[in-house]
Amino acid sequence: MTDRPGASDAFKNRCANAARALESCTGYSVDRIVWDESGADRKDKTLDVFLREGPHRPDVLISLSGLHSVRPLDPEVAPVFVDGISLIHLPQLPSPWPAEAVGRLDRSDQLPELAWLRITGPARIDAVASIVTVYQAPSDDAASVLP
């Protein structure tokens, strides 16, 4: 999904909404990681992280594309427990980045706004991307009342 040019805070808002959705995912497990390297350019690559807690909590899919950094990544680590999860908005220059993100990437005027996903636990997932989407499935309880 592309944000309208006039919506100056659209990506920042998307990151804030995604971060709020992910706050409740501590205690979930990384069920599956899909790393698609079929694109010719690194920024064409995608990373999908599937989180699952059980039938009484909704499954969550975090989809990142326009990747600028992924480290370290071993798609074979799933399933692993999620001890912590965060998604942080990284604004364009001249706005500063949070202290823990400084030095993460070489910043230039050409670098767009970014989203920084960090998942901690027995394994770590750490990725920076220009496109982020978080999908949350309805729980089985909520799905049972759908028309």
Side-chain angles (χ1 to χ4, degrees):
M1 174 187 278
T2 304
D3 297 320
R4 294 174 298 149
S8 62
D9 285 340
F11 188 75
K12 180 179 179 181
N13 293 340
R14 179 175 296 168
C15 289
N17 289 331
R20 264 192 296 282
L22 295 175
E23 284 175 356
S24 64
C25 293
T26 299
Y28 273 60
S29 291
V30 174
D31 185 57
R32 188 174 34 159
I33 299 171
V34 178
W35 171 241
D36 182 359
E37 298 183 275
S38 60
D41 184 330
R42 179 170 204 189
K43 293 175 184 150
D44 293 333
K45 296 174 182 11
T46 61
L47 175 66
D48 292 331
V49 180
F50 296 82
L51 303 177
R52 181 156 175 75
E53 204 278 329
H56 301 293
R57 294 190 61 200
D59 291 350
V60 175
L61 165 62
I62 307 162
S63 184
L64 301 172
S65 55
L67 291 167
H68 290 263
S69 172
V70 178
R71 61 178 184 192
L73 178 66
D74 179 4
E76 304 301 319
V77 300
V80 294
F81 188 74
V82 174
D83 287 326
I85 187 167
S86 66
L87 190 121
I88 300 167
H89 173 252
L90 301 177
Q92 284 183 291
L93 282 173
S95 298
W97 278 2
E100 64 269 17
V102 173
R104 172 76 200 210
L105 295 173
D106 291 332
R107 292 188 77 191
S108 69
D109 292 332
Q110 290 75 37
L111 194 64
E113 291 179 274
L114 300 169
W116 181 17
L117 173 69
R118 294 188 297 172
I119 300 175
T120 58
R124 297 180 69 89
I125 298 171
D126 190 312
V128 177
S130 58
I131 300 170
V132 60
T133 307
V134 174
Y135 301 99
Q136 189 169 16
S139 68
D140 288 344
D141 293 337
S144 69
V145 296
L146 293 176

